[in-house]
Structures are given as C-alpha cells and as structure tokens.
Amino acid sequence: MGGLTHLIVFVSMLASITLLSEAQYLLPIFKHEPSKQYYTIVYMGSATTSSPVNLLLDLGTNLTWLNCRNIKSLSTLRVITCKSSTCKSIPGNGCDIKNTCLYTQPRPVGKDPNVTTSRVVQDNATIFNTEGGVPPSVVSFRRFTFSCAVQKYLQGLAPPISGVLGLSPGEYFPLWRQVTSAFNVIPKFAFCLPSSGVGNFYIGGMSSYYTPPYGGKKTVPMTLTPLKIESGKYLISVTSIYVDGVPLTLDASLLEGGAQLSFVVPYTVLQTDIYSALAHSFTLKATNMGMSETPERAPFKHCFKEGASGNNMDVSVMEIGLPGNGREVKWRFQGANMVERVSETVICLAFVDGGKKPNESMVIGTHQLQNYLIEFDFSTTRMAFSDPLLLHNTSCST
C-alpha cells in the first residue's frame, strides 16, 4: 500500500473516532502479516517535500533510527554536533572524526546481535492532531531528534520497513516523550494493535477513548494496574495466572519479575514451567472438546486438529492476575488471542516455550495484545487495559 493510500485510509478512519480530550496526537498502525511486525508511517522533511517513512514500533528502542536515504529532501535536516546540549543529553553518546554526534543502541530484530551506530540528526516530522473531538488535521513537529543508520542495519526488518520508532520509557528522546514535551500535553500514550487493517497509536492527554462502533456512544471501559519501569522495560506485576478460572500451580518465584510487554515478540514467551502448566490445562480442555493432538508446528509445540466441534477457537480462557486498587484485577485472553490457526482444521496454542532460565519469565507478545486498547500513563505510572474488544463486536482494525 502506497504512502498516499495509507494517509487517506488513516484520515478517513480518524474522522469516525471521537476522543474525549483536548489535545491528541495520532499515528496509524499497520501489520506486516508475513513477519508479524507492526509499523507506523511518519512523514519526514519539509511540508512541501515530506517523505513517508515506515518505522517498526518498538518499546525497547530509545532513539528512533532510520535509513535517511528514504527522505527525499534533506534541506531541513540538521546534523547534531558533539558539543551541542542535545548530544550531551543522550546517554551513551559518542563522536566521529567530523565532530558529529553518534548514538549506539541494540537492534530489536535480526539474527545479527550487533548494535546500531548512527549519526544523530533533527528534522521536521508530520503527525496527526485532534482537539476537542474535531476531525484530525496534519501538524508539523519540528526538531524531531532521531538518527540516520546505514542500510546494513535494516537486516531483520520486513521489506516495507526502513527504521525503528523509539517508544522506550527513556527520559528524553523516545517519540512519545518528544511529542508530549513539544506540545505540552500529559505524558501518556495508548495503542490498539490491529489483527488486520489499520490500528491506532495515540500520544497525549486524553482521559478516555470513544469509538462509535463500540456500543454507539459508550466509552471503552478500562482496568488499571501499576506500571513498572525497570532497565528500560515496560513491566506489570503478576500475582497469579488462571486457566478457565482455576489458578495454575506455579512456584511463586516465577512470577516475581512480572511480565514484560513487547511490540517485537510476535507470540508470548513463557518460562518452561509456566508454559507447561498452561499447555497441560489447554490440552485437557481441547481433548475434552473432541480435538486431537497433531505434530507441533514451529514455533508452536501444542497443536490440535479440530473434530466434531468444528471451527472453534474458544478453547480456554487465560487470565493474568494483576494488582488493582486494593484488590486483584484480571487481564483476560481468549479465542483468537489464545490460539493461531495454521491450517483449515488445525489450531495451535499461540504461546512459546522460552526455556528454563530466560531473562524474563513472561514476555507478552503482539498476538496476545491484538484488539485491546492499552494505555501507558507516565503521570500516574499506571497501565490501563480494555476488555477484549471482540467481546463488544468491535476491534482495533478498520
């Protein structure tokens, strides 16, 4: 889909969304199905010659980086020098022989573990804005700080993607932080990952979300839980895990580190003991429904051929227990968020065994995050999450 088509689709979609807030900055979200990578479009450069650049969404990248050769006009591009206050405020900065500021950070995807080292620059960026529920308009965001990487660092990115959008909880340079600082809005962002079509990424000070397909004039109900920021990761505390209302029997130490949220992990990765307990409960339910186990289909270990029950993706319901306001709240996953259909008659449990000693016992991937409205509010250090939108006859897709 071309840049102009993307723009038309997104503006048309935004015209049907009313946001109960004063100022909101928006970006579209697209899914590259073969790779399961989620990306957005940011228009870079001057208003008259701006270039659409597809950027992978990543919650772990601090400073946005991209192949600057995709920017048609470099007339507004400004190179950041080593002695500038901007360069000095970037943790881990470096310099080259031309006194240009450099930044090095890990790449989120790809088999090569090398990091990305690139020149720090500033340019104009174009995003969308709405205020008081009015139709969206285009707004220029000047002095957007990012870095220019060379072509070799694009290894692992899907063909339409030419860089990575920094969305980490860093103090200075992730996109959401730059936007909220530039336009003086509440430091928060929210996202709705689509299973297909166009989803939504929101930055700024909305207090609630209002989508006409969702029950007419009803807002999307949200549940709150504390948001933890540790080592540049977004984490939520986990008190328990339930399958069909029954708590899994787990060593409590496995849940102590909480769960990390990721935009670049396609399927939730679980420590082996957690995965095995979930798979055991799921298998019992599936076989009781008349399904039969089939050989594993990478990356999935537990797959099932549907029997007399027909096409039925509602096998088990998993709930993650989280701390709420003085009580446990539950984040519910079911149906399409629990399984992946790999053929006309075979479904697989859409979770991955991460081994006995992973860095994180639980990393929640994009397949499980699809079709939820999720918000990170840094002014209150809380995460808000909706019910599965499919339960209310709507979704993140447009």
Side-chain angles (χ1 to χ4, degrees):
M1 187 181 291
L4 179 59
T5 305
H6 272 146
L7 178 62
I8 294 171
V9 170
F10 184 57
V11 170
S12 300
M13 176 268 293
L14 288 178
S16 68
I17 296 178
T18 304
L19 298 170
L20 302 182
S21 62
E22 288 302 314
Q24 188 60 31
Y25 299 87
L26 310 122
L27 290 168
I29 298 177
F30 306 96
K31 181 181 182 181
H32 181 258
E33 185 56 44
S35 66
K36 310 296 182 185
Q37 293 179 3
Y38 281 90
Y39 65 97
T40 188
I41 297 178
V42 177
Y43 286 78
M44 306 293 298
S46 65
T48 56
T49 58
S50 64
S51 305
V53 180
N54 295 333
L55 299 173
L56 180 78
L57 301 176
D58 181 36
L59 296 175
T61 292
N62 294 315
L63 185 68
T64 297
W65 59 269
L66 56 100
N67 183 355
C68 291
R69 292 184 178 181
N70 289 343
I71 302 176
K72 294 178 182 178
S73 173
L74 302 180
S75 61
T76 55
L77 190 76
R78 172 178 171 233
V79 176
I80 302 300
T81 63
C82 289
K83 296 182 179 180
S84 67
S85 59
T86 299
C87 187
K88 292 178 180 179
S89 65
I90 300 176
N93 68 76
C95 293
D96 65 9
I97 59 175
K98 296 181 180 180
N99 197 36
T100 300
C101 185
L102 299 177
Y103 184 61
T104 299
Q105 59 186 330
R107 280 188 288 164
V109 296
K111 296 181 180 179
D112 189 340
N114 290 341
V115 296
T116 301
T117 301
S118 45
R119 296 180 304 142
V120 180
V121 298
Q122 290 180 334
D123 202 349
N124 298 337
T126 298
I127 56 179
F128 299 92
N129 164 258
T130 184
E131 188 166 352
V134 300
S137 59
V138 173
V139 61
S140 180
F141 170 38
R142 298 186 177 183
R143 294 196 174 184
F144 173 45
T145 303
F146 60 101
S147 62
C148 291
V150 297
Q151 181 69 27
K152 69 177 182 179
Y153 291 130
L154 300 182
Q155 179 188 5
L157 297 177
I161 302 173
S162 57
V164 179
L165 189 71
L167 298 173
S168 79
E171 294 185 7
Y172 299 105
F173 293 106
L175 173 75
W176 67 266
R177 183 80 74 179
Q178 293 191 57
V179 171
T180 56
S181 297
F183 296 106
N184 195 29
V185 293
I186 295 175
K188 61 167 62 175
F189 69 81
F191 55 90
C192 207
L193 298 184
S195 54
S196 61
V198 185
N200 316 296
F201 190 90
Y202 311 87
I203 304 174
M206 80 293 260
S207 58
S208 59
Y209 304 80
Y210 173 35
T211 55
Y214 186 88
K217 296 184 178 181
K218 296 179 181 179
T219 56
V220 178
M222 306 283 277
T223 301
L224 299 175
T225 192
L227 177 65
K228 298 195 302 179
I229 305 296
E230 294 181 4
S231 303
K233 300 175 182 178
Y234 294 96
L235 301 168
I236 50 176
S237 298
V238 177
T239 55
S240 53
I241 300 175
Y242 303 85
V243 176
D244 297 326
V246 179
L248 296 180
T249 302
L250 299 168
D251 186 327
S253 64
L254 294 174
L255 303 181
E256 288 178 354
Q260 178 186 351
L261 280 76
S262 173
F263 280 168
V264 295
V265 172
Y267 302 99
T268 294
V269 180
L270 302 174
Q271 188 274 350
T272 292
D273 295 338
I274 301 175
Y275 176 84
S276 297
L278 170 63
H280 177 72
S281 294
F282 186 91
T283 298
L284 287 177
K285 183 68 176 293
T287 54
N288 286 338
M289 293 175 61
M291 298 184 184
S292 57
E293 293 190 65
T294 66
E296 60 185 64
R297 308 281 186 95
F300 310 119
K301 294 177 66 175
H302 288 80
C303 299
F304 305 85
K305 184 175 183 179
E306 295 166 315
S309 59
N311 293 343
N312 187 355
M313 300 181 78
D314 285 311
V315 179
S316 287
V317 174
M318 184 182 81
E319 294 171 309
I320 300 176
L322 306 168
N325 186 16
R327 62 183 179 86
E328 184 183 65
V329 297
K330 294 179 179 179
W331 190 358
R332 178 187 182 99
F333 300 90
Q334 68 182 83
N337 292 106
M338 286 290 293
V339 301
E340 179 77 285
R341 182 170 295 283
V342 297
S343 73
E344 187 176 346
T345 59
V346 176
I347 61 173
C348 296
L349 179 63
F351 293 77
V352 175
D353 185 344
K356 292 290 290 185
K357 295 183 179 181
N359 292 330
E360 305 292 340
S361 292
M362 181 182 303
V363 180
I364 302 177
T366 54
H367 187 80
Q368 279 67 42
L369 296 176
Q370 287 178 160
N371 294 315
Y372 289 86
L373 181 59
I374 298 173
E375 175 191 88
F376 294 157
D377 188 338
F378 299 89
S379 66
T380 61
T381 321
R382 293 190 300 186
M383 184 185 94
F385 58 93
S386 70
D387 291 335
L389 296 183
L390 297 178
L391 293 180
H392 301 279
N393 299 316
T394 189
S395 71
C396 295
S397 306
T398 57

